[in-house]
Amino acid sequence: DLQDCVQLNQYKLQSEIGKGSYGVVKLAYNENDDKYYAMKVLSKKKLLKQYGFPRRPPPRGSKASSGEQPKAMAPLDRVYQEIAILKKLDHVNIVKLIEVLDDPAEDNLYMVFDLLRKGPVMEVPSEQPFGEEEARRYFRDIVLGIEYLHYQKIIHRDIKPSNLLLGDDGHVKIADFGVSNQFEGNDAQLSSTAGTPAFMAPEAISDTGKSFSGKALDVWAMGITLYCFVYGKCPFIDEYILGLHNRIKTKPVEFPEEAQISAELKDLILHMLDKNPETRITVPEIKVHPWLTKGGKEPLPLEEEHCTMVEVTEEEVKNSVKTIPSLPAVILVKAMLRKRSFGNPFEVQARREERSMSAPGNLLM
């Protein structure tokens, strides 16, 4: 099984350094540049499921010719399109995606990210929550990172302290923005739940079947995260998922006595944890909130000062993913060299590959 294979192209896979709903993250040593990276192992089957395959809006840049329906993209092409965009994201508060490897013979997709050795900014629960100054410094980074993602039409959907990594430059960088979270127009209209239960917004767990705004979900999770920063724990906790959902939907936010926080900070948290997404504070409003800007003395950069729209060419989409040579081919070459037999051992293999390429769906369902 390729998962147990320690070498993928120039990367040597080492210990597991993280786990999420999507799969695992492994430490990977790159022999070419003698550096370590974080390699996220994803399942293509799961990705396509997340897509609500096959209903998706057309990718950016595609123009439907007059009167014609735009040609629906194959689900995997959608994945490649999004990966091409993720690879071009470039922001001080976003973890950099280096490259993506695909093993056509297996269900795995490997995403190679910059390794941030300091790890998450905070483990929750924590006995040592941040003071307001430190919380403010880190939260300003998160707000700018999210503003950048939303500007690129990407919803994160899983903001929480363990996805906020500390860089060597002392800045927080947002990690684990996945594939399948991009939208068209001004905001995503979502209907499926994703993310971490304690950080989920009330509208995402209601059973009304109504769709909800993607940006407002990220704001709610940012509010839970800010609460964690200063209290070391989530505002809504229950050992049972239904109890947790009930608290998120009905219980008001309580501020424990043990940590005295400023009225401005309470105000910001309450506005982010507004149970009604229609009236919940938005990212542009958070940016000018007195707690974040010290009453306007330390304004955050304007959107146009730190955001430029990422555009991708067809060429970049085509090259967004590198293919790992299939293991059987490598083994066969070794066997041929041992036996010195140079017939065409690939015949069967080639026929199988050909079929799988013409109908990638079969491999992925």
Side-chain angles (χ1 to χ4, degrees):
D1 187 343
L2 238 161
Q3 224 162 341
D4 309 322
C5 159
V6 276
Q7 184 100 22
L8 290 174
N9 289 9
Q10 75 270 35
Y11 298 97
K12 268 194 162 40
L13 292 199
Q14 298 181 355
S15 55
E16 192 174 297
I17 51 176
K19 219 184 184 77
S21 49
Y22 49 80
V24 296
V25 180
K26 295 198 169 194
L27 183 66
Y29 171 68
N30 181 344
E31 298 173 325
N32 293 356
D33 65 5
D34 191 29
K35 279 169 64 179
Y36 283 91
Y37 293 89
M39 187 177 279
K40 187 165 148 183
V41 186
L42 291 155
S43 148
K44 286 181 281 200
K45 273 198 193 99
K46 268 195 187 155
L47 273 184
L48 293 183
K49 219 191 224 135
Q50 269 180 307
Y51 262 101
F53 157 71
R55 299 180 309 284
R56 292 285 294 179
R60 51 177 94 163
S62 79
K63 295 178 181 63
S65 42
S66 54
E68 279 181 46
Q69 279 296 300
K71 198 163 102 358
M73 279 181 102
L76 258 196
D77 291 344
R78 285 282 341 186
V79 173
Y80 295 154
Q81 158 87 19
E82 297 208 4
I83 286 170
I85 290 167
L86 295 182
K87 277 170 70 179
K88 287 187 80 173
L89 297 182
D90 185 17
H91 193 275
V92 61
N93 302 122
I94 301 289
V95 177
K96 190 91 191 103
L97 174 61
I98 307 299
E99 64 173 339
V100 179
L101 309 175
D102 176 30
D103 177 4
E106 298 279 333
D107 182 40
N108 291 341
L109 202 59
Y110 304 88
M111 298 178 90
V112 182
F113 289 93
D114 261 343
L115 179 69
L116 279 80
R117 291 179 175 275
K118 291 184 172 172
V121 63
M122 173 187 262
E123 298 289 348
V124 177
S126 165
E127 293 299 313
Q128 280 100 29
F130 300 145
E132 281 194 42
E133 269 313 304
E134 199 176 2
R136 179 188 289 114
R137 199 172 75 241
Y138 291 145
F139 200 68
R140 284 169 65 99
D141 283 342
I142 298 161
V143 170
L144 292 176
I146 287 295
E147 180 171 53
Y148 178 79
L149 286 178
H150 287 183
Y151 184 84
Q152 306 299 344
K153 301 189 179 298
I154 296 169
I155 301 295
H156 189 288
R157 296 197 77 170
D158 201 14
I159 295 287
K160 55 181 175 179
S162 60
N163 281 337
L164 303 166
L165 308 180
L166 204 48
D168 291 333
D169 57 5
H171 283 287
V172 168
K173 297 174 198 295
I174 299 172
D176 206 26
F177 38 90
V179 179
S180 88
N181 293 346
Q182 294 182 22
F183 62 88
E184 297 276 307
N186 183 43
D187 197 353
Q189 288 306 311
L190 304 168
S191 52
S192 63
T193 53
T196 304
F199 291 78
M200 270 184 203
E203 65 271 21
I205 50 181
S206 83
D207 29 29
T208 59
K210 285 214 305 253
S211 68
F212 41 87
S213 147
K215 291 177 179 177
L217 282 190
D218 280 348
V219 167
W220 173 278
M222 287 161 73
I224 302 279
T225 297
L226 184 52
Y227 186 100
C228 289
F229 279 0
V230 288
Y231 290 111
K233 61 182 182 190
C234 292
F236 308 109
I237 306 169
D238 198 295
E239 50 188 312
Y240 299 107
I241 192 81
L242 287 176
L244 176 66
H245 283 178
N246 196 34
R247 284 171 190 263
I248 290 171
K249 286 191 279 197
T250 60
K251 188 173 167 274
V253 179
E254 286 167 9
F255 297 100
E257 287 299 306
E258 65 261 28
Q260 286 300 312
I261 66 168
S262 66
E264 278 108 343
L265 177 50
K266 273 187 189 167
D267 178 79
L268 177 57
I269 290 173
L270 287 171
H271 278 95
M272 295 177 83
L273 297 182
D274 178 345
K275 296 191 193 295
N276 178 357
E278 304 286 322
T279 52
R280 190 174 302 151
I281 194 170
T282 63
V283 172
E285 291 164 345
I286 294 168
K287 280 182 76 183
V288 295
H289 190 278
W291 181 77
L292 211 59
T293 62
K294 291 200 172 169
K297 288 200 296 283
E298 294 180 13
L300 281 159
L302 298 168
E303 184 182 68
E304 57 265 27
E305 290 171 346
H306 74 107
C307 298
T308 349
M309 181 57 90
V310 166
E311 295 288 350
V312 292
T313 62
E314 276 181 34
E315 190 65 14
E316 285 168 328
V317 172
K318 210 172 76 208
N319 299 324
S320 63
V321 174
K322 283 192 188 151
T323 306
I324 301 164
S326 72
L327 212 55
V330 177
I331 292 165
L332 276 164
V333 171
K334 285 183 179 163
M336 281 161 58
L337 290 172
R338 267 205 311 275
K339 291 186 182 145
R340 303 234 186 316
S341 80
F342 291 95
N344 183 2
F346 295 107
E347 219 170 322
V348 179
Q349 174 69 13
R351 272 211 304 277
R352 206 186 78 208
E353 297 271 319
E354 217 169 67
R355 194 178 67 234
S356 71
M357 286 320 287
S358 60
N362 304 349
L363 268 184
L364 298 161
M365 300 309 273

